[in-house]
Amino acid sequence: MRCIDPFGRDRALMVLVEDERVVLVPPPGAAAVLSAQQARGLGRALDQAAIRTDERPDRQVG
């Protein structure tokens, strides 16, 4: 998802699914500035990633 860094430069914050984990990859410099709308979008992206990890056929429960 698009964001800016603390200096106002365009950056990207990525949400990935790797094995059974959700990976949040910050922009270079490890800081992201999000608007309220972008923060809600991040929440949706994290929810979707969590659902994908729950639905993995090789996931072990318990």
Side-chain angles (χ1 to χ4, degrees):
M1 72 177 302
R2 296 183 54 81
C3 63
I4 60 171
D5 69 9
F7 303 103
R9 298 176 292 203
D10 287 334
R11 295 291 186 240
L13 185 62
M14 292 188 294
V15 178
L16 308 172
V17 175
E18 184 176 302
D19 297 321
E20 295 178 3
R21 296 196 168 125
V22 176
V23 181
L24 185 60
V25 181
V33 179
L34 305 175
S35 67
Q37 182 178 358
Q38 289 170 319
R40 285 189 285 279
L42 175 59
R44 286 189 298 273
L46 290 170
D47 284 340
Q48 291 171 359
I51 289 167
R52 285 183 55 202
T53 64
D54 288 341
E55 293 174 347
R56 290 181 60 91
D58 59 340
R59 184 176 186 272
Q60 302 218 352
V61 179

